[in-house]
Amino acid sequence: MSTSQSAFWPALCEVSYPGFCIAMRPMAQYYTTMNLKSRFAPSPTGYLHLGNARTALFAWLAARGAGGTFILRLEDTDQQRSPEIYERALLEDLRWFGIDWDEGPDRGGDHGPYRQMERLAVYGRYYAHLQSSGQAYACYCSADDLAAERAVQRSAGKAPRYGGRCRHLDAAARAEREAAGLLPTLRFRVPDQGTLTVPDLVWGERHYALADLGDFVIRRSDGSPAFFFANAVDDALMEVNLVLRGEDHLTNTPRQILILQALGLPVPAYGHLPLLLGADGQPLSKRYGAASLRDLRKDGYLAAALRNYLARLGHHYSATGFLDSRALAQGFALNQISRAPSHFDMVQLQHWQHEAVQSLDDAAVWNWLAPLLRGKVPMGLEMPFVAAVRANILLPGDALDWAERCFGAPALAADAVEAITGVSPEFWSVAQATLQASGGDYRRWTKALQQASGRRGKALFMPLRAALTGLTHGPELAALLPLIGEERALARLHAAARRPSTPIETTL
């Protein structure tokens, strides 16, 4: 482990209250550099949004940077919201994103199974232990009972917490309720006094008054495990020793530590990442644009662009340029994670998209574009086309537009109309004649046209660009002219000499 990372592992996690104190070993004793083990444990209830993608990336970078192990685990206990389509999409999107895993639902491992619904028997054994030791009890309170209790607490200015109504039910009272058909939840018994001190890799030491937590549900009335319980037990049994997750889990952590301590299971080091926000400061969601990996992938963004951007949202790299996955992992350090919330910015993503495109060779760029451009670019011209336009494209749709401007029938943009307007018909006639005389050689053509027309610089090249491409900006004309070809170029010059305020119309 690097010095910068080892200094941030919690020294001690302690819970104390009158007559009782548990202190765990320093977390750094649990692993060395080579046995750091992190995980990503999503609920497959929808497509992977960018906040979760960043969490997965940070956990993966931490593991890969330390030569450790990375686990993928599916928390699928919400069966109504976890259709198989989302599990398949999750695995597919993570692979596309460039994240791999050493253990997971599709490849197994020594600590499986890796779907929570396949681990119910495991949870059952630990539930039984907590009940037999008096650290958990059956609760028969209805949803209406609990809602009424919370309303009373709020009206009194108190934070809502379970009051312990079922804590001291005797066997007869429990039997009476079960005879009435009430299905109980299972609640963890939290001590009434004391403070839990929790070190956090991002936020530092945090203190939780146990009296504020209240007894919480660890098994639902239908028998399915609650998040607090299954998530914590799985981390311990799978030997996860580093948990990086969103700051929305900060209030879950003390509850999970209490569970693990009660069961005598190891507690991982926790680091809670500040949330990823939209431009208005609200948590990023669909209404703020493309908010899932699948959306951005469909739009044509490269995985490498997203990795470079998301890795820097809430984490500082000393290197400022584009990094491959290995360099991202090597440069990742836990003490470089910021506490400030990060704001997703499409302009910044587009910057990294540009960098990612430029990092590819021409063949790789064509492979990226081919699904959209196949049949739009003549065979044999694929590589010259890529070489000509690659600096001017961010997404495949941009390349499709340039394919149309090179090989199709492009319309004039408004500024192109303005660039052509006022240029004399004689200029266009000379332009056509010198193009034919040069045999399509761009440098010979423009030199001859300059001498013949007396135009130079912008006055020469802007009208030509507007006439040939329909735009006043773009790739070098010297690279585009061989793609457009002499015949199409002559037709476009001829059209410019006619009514320049109308679109270029040519079937060539």
Side-chain angles (χ1 to χ4, degrees):
M1 184 182 305
S2 68
T3 302
S4 61
Q5 288 186 342
S6 63
F8 269 70
W9 294 120
L12 192 67
C13 183
E14 183 179 273
V15 58
S16 60
Y17 42 92
F20 188 62
C21 177
I22 294 178
M24 294 176 295
R25 289 179 294 165
M27 290 306 302
Q29 294 179 13
Y30 282 117
Y31 53 86
T32 63
T33 301
M34 294 307 294
N35 68 9
L36 186 153
K37 196 171 193 179
S38 67
R39 53 73 164 172
F40 180 52
S43 298
T45 56
Y47 294 119
L48 189 63
H49 65 73
L50 294 182
N52 278 346
R54 184 188 64 159
T55 299
L57 180 62
F58 276 30
W60 182 80
L61 290 171
R64 294 295 178 247
T69 302
F70 183 70
I71 290 179
L72 176 65
R73 185 177 71 235
L74 299 181
E75 305 199 337
D76 60 347
T77 56
D78 189 348
Q79 287 288 282
Q80 291 186 338
R81 298 177 59 216
S82 301
E84 187 179 347
I85 184 176
Y86 288 137
E87 176 180 326
R88 292 197 304 268
L90 175 70
L91 300 184
E92 178 183 310
D93 290 346
L94 285 173
R95 290 193 188 98
W96 172 80
F97 191 33
I99 288 181
D100 60 346
W101 46 94
D102 306 295
E103 303 174 29
D106 59 329
R107 61 180 304 164
D110 295 336
H111 304 88
Y114 295 90
R115 296 181 183 87
Q116 285 186 337
M117 288 303 292
E118 298 174 0
R119 299 176 60 81
L120 299 183
V122 175
Y123 307 139
R125 294 194 293 271
Y126 287 99
Y127 287 134
H129 174 80
L130 292 176
Q131 286 182 284
S132 65
S133 64
Q135 293 170 293
Y137 61 89
C139 175
Y140 300 89
C141 296
S142 68
D144 290 341
D145 293 336
L146 297 173
E149 183 178 52
R150 289 192 294 269
V152 170
Q153 291 169 338
R154 289 193 181 98
S155 66
K158 298 179 180 179
R161 62 182 291 273
Y162 181 64
R165 184 183 308 182
C166 294
R167 236 188 192 210
H168 305 294
L169 292 179
D170 57 24
R174 290 196 298 272
E176 179 183 348
R177 285 162 172 73
E178 290 179 11
L182 296 179
L183 297 175
T185 61
L186 188 65
R187 286 186 181 270
F188 183 85
R189 188 188 301 269
V190 178
D192 295 320
Q193 302 178 57
T195 300
L196 179 67
T197 299
V198 180
D200 188 281
L201 294 169
V202 177
W203 299 93
E205 196 171 80
R206 299 177 71 86
H207 307 278
Y208 300 87
L210 298 178
D212 294 338
L213 298 180
D215 298 347
F216 53 89
V217 173
I218 56 176
R219 186 180 66 202
R220 304 184 187 98
S221 59
D222 63 1
S224 62
F227 167 82
F228 297 124
F229 187 84
N231 179 273
V233 169
D234 287 346
D235 283 338
L237 297 183
M238 294 179 182
E239 299 180 358
V240 171
N241 45 37
L242 171 62
V243 173
L244 294 178
R245 57 188 183 182
E247 66 173 307
D248 50 325
H249 287 286
L250 273 169
T251 57
N252 297 334
T253 301
R255 295 173 172 86
Q256 294 184 299
I257 290 175
L258 290 174
I259 291 170
L260 294 175
Q261 290 176 334
L263 294 171
L265 294 174
V267 178
Y270 291 98
H272 294 87
L273 310 176
L275 296 180
L276 188 58
L277 306 179
D280 67 347
Q282 297 300 311
L284 195 67
S285 67
K286 274 283 188 182
R287 64 180 178 275
Y288 301 118
S292 76
L293 282 186
R294 185 152 292 227
D295 291 329
L296 294 171
R297 178 185 181 184
K298 183 178 179 181
D299 289 343
Y301 283 91
L302 292 166
L306 279 160
R307 288 196 301 272
N308 269 266
Y309 181 42
L310 292 182
R312 290 172 167 88
L313 277 180
H315 178 273
H316 173 71
Y317 279 89
S318 56
T320 58
F322 181 83
L323 300 175
D324 61 21
S325 290
R326 175 175 291 186
L328 285 172
Q330 291 175 341
F332 186 83
L334 296 168
N335 62 356
Q336 295 301 310
I337 297 175
S338 171
R339 297 181 184 180
S342 300
H343 291 76
F344 181 78
D345 183 346
M346 283 299 298
V347 173
Q348 285 297 309
L349 175 59
Q350 289 168 359
H351 163 76
W352 290 110
Q353 173 73 359
H354 175 78
E355 294 295 306
V357 171
Q358 301 316 309
S359 74
L360 301 175
D361 60 30
D362 288 350
V365 173
W366 175 252
N367 288 337
W368 169 53
L369 300 175
L372 187 61
L373 294 192
R374 194 170 285 114
K376 305 292 185 180
V377 176
M379 291 184 62
L381 292 181
E382 296 91 344
M383 292 303 103
F385 173 78
V386 167
V389 306
R390 59 178 297 154
N392 294 84
I393 61 175
L394 284 178
L395 301 171
D398 301 327
L400 180 62
D401 181 66
W402 280 110
E404 177 67 14
R405 293 186 183 282
C406 288
F407 309 112
L412 284 172
D415 57 350
V417 172
E418 184 178 349
I420 291 173
T421 301
V423 176
S424 68
E426 290 77 16
F427 172 79
W428 299 114
S429 296
V430 173
Q432 293 172 69
T434 51
L435 176 60
Q436 289 176 303
S438 69
D441 183 288
Y442 176 78
R443 298 193 183 282
R444 286 178 55 198
W445 173 42
T446 52
K447 183 177 181 180
L449 180 56
Q450 176 182 316
Q451 293 174 343
S453 67
R455 286 175 171 259
R456 63 185 64 245
K458 184 177 180 180
L460 174 69
F461 295 106
M462 189 63 72
L464 291 181
R465 177 179 290 280
L468 293 177
T469 70
L471 297 175
T472 59
H473 56 84
E476 292 292 332
L477 280 179
L480 292 180
L481 183 61
L483 301 173
I484 295 170
E486 184 177 336
E487 188 175 358
R488 274 188 291 263
L490 288 170
R492 294 176 187 185
L493 294 172
H494 179 70
R498 299 201 312 269
R499 297 176 61 89
S501 61
T502 62
I504 296 176
E505 295 177 354
T506 174
T507 58
L508 295 176

